[in-house]
């Protein structure tokens, strides 16, 4: 089994926050920290009814003191590089270095159409953007000037890259600290193997951090039904009924956690599409 490549047995747990009720996310954040989760994550879309992740995570930074804050994934090419560098550095400073930049290109044409960014150039745009972000965070000139503030970490916050195609996986070795693997466990192995091959070919020491994701919904029947509707709406563009359906049986969730630990994930993020923050305590009972 591919997990033989990994030696660590510890695994962090994160919460992917629901996007349909931004006003409740402060309660989610406080509860997640109280129940010893390691991170809070937010997805990014432009043409969807979701909160903007950098603004939202800045608010959650003020409501917490320990938990990491990460984007999964921020659509980098939709944002102008200098402004993105400033926003990320500001959030990193305001959170005391707790921000993790999960970034990718995005594959939905409507987001790029609305932003005015060419869909066919999104990969090249991110390849240009990532080293520019690092230069700005180091205090090097960009477009003839310097852009502050400097982030807490001299070279900028940790970067995780999500993707499925070989160029995206190669990008991890070239520019990032780890891989955001959104693929189901049944076909994640070859993706992680490719990431590790690219990492070794680039002469990088150690191995990339591996962050995986699953959709979950726990609690009342109403909460589970709401989550199922929300997931179906979010993935409707695929045309595949049942795609991304959340796990709701505690025993099945526990078995899935064990499988990801055996696989070698450094972190498993539970994406919650139901609004009720009581799910935080229920999930904590399953995984801790």
């Amino acid at each position: 089994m591919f997990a033989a490549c990994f030696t660590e047995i510890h695994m962090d747990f994160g919460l992917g926050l629901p996007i349909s009720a931004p006003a409740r996310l402060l309660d989610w954040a406080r509860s997640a920290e109280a129940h010893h989760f390691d991170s809070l994550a937010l997805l990014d879309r432009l043409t969807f009814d979701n909160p903007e992740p950098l603004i939202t995570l800045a608010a959650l930074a003020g409501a917490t003191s320990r938990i990491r804050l990460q984007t999964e994934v921020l659509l980098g090419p939709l944002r102008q590089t200098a402004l993105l560098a400033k926003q990320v550095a500001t959030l990193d400073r305001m959170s005391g270095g707790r921000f993790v930049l999960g970034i990718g290109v995005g594959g939905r044409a409507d987001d790029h159409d609305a932003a005015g960014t060419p869909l066919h150039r999104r990969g090249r745009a991110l390849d240009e953007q990532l080293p520019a972000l690092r230069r700005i965070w180091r205090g090097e000139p960009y477009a003839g000037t310097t852009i502050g503030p400097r982030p807490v970490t001299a070279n900028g916050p940790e970067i995780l890259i999500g993707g499925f195609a070989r160029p995206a996986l190669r990008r991890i070795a070239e520019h990032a600290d780890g891989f955001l693997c959104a693929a189901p466990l049944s076909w994640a192995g070859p993706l992680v193997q490719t990431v590790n091959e690219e990492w070794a070919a680039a002469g990088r020491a150690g191995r990339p951090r591996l962050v995986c994701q699953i959709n979950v919904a726990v609690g009342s029947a109403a909460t589970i039904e709401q989550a199922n509707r929300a997931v179906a709406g979010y993935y409707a563009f695929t045309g595949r009924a049942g795609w991304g359906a959340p796990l709701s049986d505690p025993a099945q969730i526990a078995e899935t956690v064990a499988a990801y630990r055996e696989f070698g994930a450094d972190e498993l993020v539970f994406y919650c599409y139901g609004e009720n923050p009581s799910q935080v305590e229920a999930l904590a009972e399953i995984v801790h």
Side-chain angles (χ1 to χ4, degrees), residues 2-3 6 179 181 183-196 263:
F2 185 74
F6 299 101
F179 176 35
C181 182
L185 189 55
S186 58
W187 50 282
L191 296 175
V192 177
Q193 183 171 359
T194 299
V195 169
N196 282 322
F263 181 65

Side-chain angles (χ1 to χ4, degrees), residues 260-280:
Y260 273 98
R261 181 178 281 111
E262 182 182 0
F263 181 65
D266 296 294
E267 181 172 4
L268 182 60
V269 179
F270 302 99
Y271 265 85
C272 304
Y273 285 76
E275 298 174 6
N276 194 333
S278 67
Q279 293 178 91
V280 176

